[in-house]
Amino acid sequence: MSRDRCRDGHPLSFVQEALWLSEQFAVGTPPYVESWAQRLRGNLDADALIRALKRIRDRHPALRSQFVLEDNRLVQRVRHDADLVVERVDAQGEDSDDALRRAAQRPIDIRETTLRVVLLKLAHDDHVLLVHCHHIVVDDHSFDLLSAEIQALYTAAVGGQAVEPPAPGITVGRYAADQLARGIPESSLAYWTRYLDGAEPLPALPPAGRALRSRRDNRCGRVTEVVDVDVARRVQKRARAMRTTPTVIMLTSLGMTLAASAGVEDIVMGHPVSQRGPAGLDRVFGCFTDTMPLRLRALPESTFSELCGSVKRDVISALRHRDVPWAYVARHLPRTPGMLPGEGLIRVVMVVEEPTPLTLPGLACERVHVVPAGVKFDWFVDVVAEAGGYTCHVDYAADCFTSDEATRALRQWTHTLAEVSDDPDLTVAALGRTFASEPA
């Protein structure tokens, strides 16, 4: 393959291919569009901001890519002929949440583009910048990179010190071609098939042991709960005492909540694993994160301390075997009648993030969390570390839960998190009795 052809026409990485295929079979609104939004209060130089955004798009081929099917093969192709169009919407006098939701909940046709940018004007000194990307070219680290580059390039554009961000490393297309050439390590695939032997999809979720549908549409609801500074400090203290991370504490407490509230003992959850191993990928926009399974056997007599040790060991093992994409693992699992291989096995996912704050001269910047148009999983917990505590957003399948049920389920988990931070000997059975005594 020639260098010119490599630049303009690459295969897809394993994760990209899985996302493309999942979108083709999505029921209703495709869920794979990610939003990054910032409220900007103050004297915004909109033209300077747009110049900075155009520079970022020019620097990163993933943001200029199209994903097309050519001669029965998937290709990602970089566009060189189109400029970034920033939609400027006058939303003065409107409800800001409604205006942002309308802007954010439109699909993206990746045959044409992977990026949409909207600048909402709420008042002369109040704007919301919405960057809307397809997940096939972006992950959480990409949005941290976006914050850093907007900060550097906008500051330069308004007359500050000109600091060019470091050049991106290898392109996503080159990474995909190298990944395909390396192939799948058989030892890692064998690890996952052993790990998941006999695992089945969760039959029920909190707040009650109600059977879940094997298929659902993608309509999304959201509930939010704040874990205050005091509980956050206790979580961090418990993590230090158990020589682990707050993320492991949260994952374990979520699995314990599933076991105690829904009456299940063998649980498979999902958690993100970064694949940004090769040098230079930390400066590249792209989807280098995969959702990997975490299996927890939570018997009634199991204590939090015991379960936490199991989760810690399994997370470390997952990192050692992260070079096998989940979609590839799923294809090698036994097939459930009426379902695709691996379909529905991961119904609950938790992400814990510490986003990079945006700082722009003359502006007060605040991250805005946008409700997506579609939900990827039945229960998706996004824990954001901010203001010394944690803000916990749950995107839930509206086909499976009411808003009241989702709120109750989220509060069951935050209750568990607070309890185990104080008492690592709490058992699943004791927690279940607490939930059973709650008013319906």
Side-chain angles (χ1 to χ4, degrees):
M1 186 179 291
S2 71
R3 181 172 296 275
D4 288 343
R5 182 169 176 76
C6 285
R7 186 181 65 242
D8 294 334
H10 269 299
L12 277 60
S13 70
F14 295 132
V15 172
Q16 288 178 320
E17 183 179 273
L19 288 170
W20 187 91
L21 288 170
S22 295
E23 185 159 290
Q24 308 314 302
F25 293 100
V27 179
T29 304
Y32 298 105
V33 177
E34 306 294 332
S35 297
W36 177 94
Q38 291 278 346
R39 191 154 188 175
L40 309 174
R41 293 182 173 92
N43 186 22
L44 173 69
D45 186 333
D47 292 336
L49 179 62
I50 291 171
R51 289 197 300 273
L53 291 165
K54 289 183 176 181
R55 179 74 185 109
I56 291 170
R57 182 180 181 270
D58 290 343
R59 285 168 48 82
H60 296 281
L63 301 179
R64 293 181 281 115
S65 293
Q66 301 167 295
F67 291 78
V68 294
L69 192 61
E70 294 181 351
D71 299 325
N72 293 318
R73 69 186 185 102
L74 287 170
V75 175
Q76 52 182 316
R77 196 171 291 283
V78 179
R79 296 187 65 173
H80 301 285
D81 59 340
D83 193 13
L84 174 65
V85 176
V86 177
E87 300 177 30
R88 302 181 68 166
V89 177
D90 190 340
Q92 296 181 89
E94 297 185 42
D95 180 272
S96 59
D97 291 336
D98 288 345
L100 184 58
R101 189 177 297 111
R102 285 197 306 273
Q105 294 192 344
R106 291 176 293 164
I108 288 179
D109 185 352
I110 57 176
R111 294 171 300 180
E112 297 296 328
T113 186
T114 55
L115 172 68
R116 180 189 300 119
V117 181
V118 180
L119 184 61
L120 292 161
K121 182 177 182 179
L122 305 179
H124 75 280
D125 58 353
D126 192 358
H127 297 77
V128 176
L129 172 65
L130 170 67
V131 178
H132 213 201
C133 290
H134 197 282
H135 191 28
I136 206 166
V137 296
V138 74
D139 56 15
D140 285 342
H141 181 84
S142 300
F143 285 136
D144 286 341
L145 183 62
L146 177 65
S147 293
E149 294 206 357
I150 286 179
Q151 184 170 312
L153 294 170
Y154 178 82
T155 300
V158 295
Q161 183 178 1
V163 179
E164 180 75 5
I170 66 174
T171 65
V172 178
R174 170 53 65 189
Y175 169 83
D178 291 346
Q179 185 186 63
L180 291 176
R182 289 193 304 270
I184 299 293
E186 290 297 326
S187 59
S188 290
L189 179 59
Y191 164 82
W192 288 112
T193 53
R194 287 194 306 271
Y195 182 69
L196 295 170
D197 182 37
E200 295 182 356
L202 283 168
L205 289 177
R210 173 172 50 83
L212 287 171
R213 306 177 189 182
S214 60
R215 296 288 181 93
R216 59 164 175 76
D217 65 29
N218 294 324
R219 289 179 298 115
C220 181
R222 173 174 286 183
V223 291
T224 298
E225 185 88 1
V226 175
V227 174
D228 64 28
V229 174
D230 175 65
V231 174
R233 287 174 178 165
R234 284 150 53 195
V235 169
Q236 293 155 10
K237 182 179 179 180
R238 176 57 54 199
R240 290 192 297 271
M242 302 183 75
R243 303 185 67 179
T244 187
T245 65
T247 297
V248 168
I249 300 294
M250 292 181 192
L251 283 167
T252 308
S253 62
L254 178 60
M256 198 170 180
T257 302
L258 292 171
S261 182
V264 288
E265 296 181 358
D266 189 0
I267 299 158
V268 178
M269 302 181 293
H271 65 111
V273 175
S274 176
Q275 297 174 333
R276 289 179 180 264
L281 284 181
D282 57 337
R283 301 190 301 275
V284 179
F285 271 83
C287 185
F288 301 104
T289 300
D290 201 1
T291 301
M292 300 306 293
L294 176 65
R295 190 174 185 180
L296 187 66
R297 293 171 176 85
L299 302 177
E301 63 272 18
S302 300
T303 67
F304 173 77
S305 180
E306 293 166 344
L307 296 174
C308 192
S310 174
V311 169
K312 178 181 175 180
R313 289 190 296 271
D314 287 356
V315 168
I316 292 171
S317 294
L319 292 173
R320 291 173 181 156
H321 299 283
R322 61 182 172 176
D323 45 4
V324 183
W326 163 243
Y328 197 89
V329 173
R331 287 202 294 269
H332 288 76
L333 297 177
R335 180 172 179 175
T336 302
M339 300 180 74
L340 297 172
E343 184 179 11
L345 187 59
I346 298 180
R347 309 190 76 158
V348 176
V349 171
M350 173 176 279
V351 175
V352 181
E353 57 174 320
E354 297 185 27
T356 300
L358 179 65
T359 303
L360 299 179
L363 296 168
C365 307
E366 177 188 358
R367 179 77 182 267
V368 181
H369 296 272
V370 183
V371 180
V375 66
K376 304 180 186 70
F377 303 94
D378 294 338
W379 191 257
F380 182 87
V381 187
D382 183 15
V383 182
V384 183
E386 54 188 6
Y390 300 108
T391 302
C392 309
H393 306 282
V394 169
D395 293 337
Y396 63 90
D399 209 21
C400 299
F401 301 89
T402 66
S403 177
D404 287 344
E405 287 174 332
T407 298
R408 183 180 171 201
L410 174 55
R411 287 176 179 169
Q412 284 183 342
W413 170 63
T414 56
H415 168 83
T416 303
L417 183 64
E419 289 294 302
V420 300
S421 296
D422 292 331
D423 182 9
D425 294 323
L426 183 70
T427 65
V428 173
L431 187 62
R433 289 192 290 271
T434 299
F435 292 153
S437 67
E438 293 177 345

